[in-house]
Amino acid sequence: FMILILIMLIQRLNNDSPSDAAKILTYITIVSTCLLPLVWLLGSEGTAAIGLTQEVAMVTFGDIVSVLGFGCYFLFNYDALMGDDESGEKEGLQEEGDAQQFV
């Protein structure tokens, strides 16, 4: 399932021409998605190349960095990612105000 999501994300990057912020968020998603299986493979359930404590620390650190990185980057670039739709919202509010005047 993870492979299908990664393929769709990479195709979307290649086919569309998203903004730089969307590209960086996509890369954060791809890296964080690939991180957990690699840690599992190196961890005590996989090849036992690293101990349980190191595995837990790597998963925790990777999860915190990916979630905070994605969230903060999205938050600080919200306007660039979502576009400037305030004109449509103001227009809709103006129409509602006109409708209330007639009531």
Side-chain angles (χ1 to χ4, degrees):
F1 184 70
M2 177 186 73
I3 295 171
L4 295 175
I5 292 174
L6 290 176
I7 290 171
M8 288 175 50
L9 286 172
I10 292 170
Q11 284 177 348
R12 186 167 273 180
L13 275 178
N14 291 335
N15 293 341
D16 298 341
S17 56
S19 65
D20 290 336
K23 284 183 182 181
I24 291 174
L25 289 175
T26 304
Y27 291 136
I28 290 172
T29 303
I30 290 171
V31 169
S32 64
T33 303
C34 293
L35 180 71
L36 291 176
L38 290 175
V39 171
W40 180 88
L41 185 64
L42 293 173
S44 59
E45 292 88 8
T47 61
I50 58 175
L52 182 61
T53 306
Q54 290 87 5
E55 179 184 4
V56 170
M58 289 174 73
V59 167
T60 303
F61 183 72
D63 188 44
I64 289 173
V65 167
S66 66
V67 168
L68 285 178
F70 186 93
C72 289
Y73 197 84
F74 181 76
L75 180 67
F76 294 134
N77 292 299
Y78 181 78
D79 292 335
L81 290 167
M82 293 299 161
D84 201 11
D85 290 342
E86 291 187 20
S87 62
E89 291 175 6
K90 289 179 183 176
E91 191 175 291
L93 292 175
Q94 186 178 18
E95 290 174 3
E96 288 178 12
D98 292 342
Q100 290 177 355
Q101 283 179 339
F102 292 115
V103 174

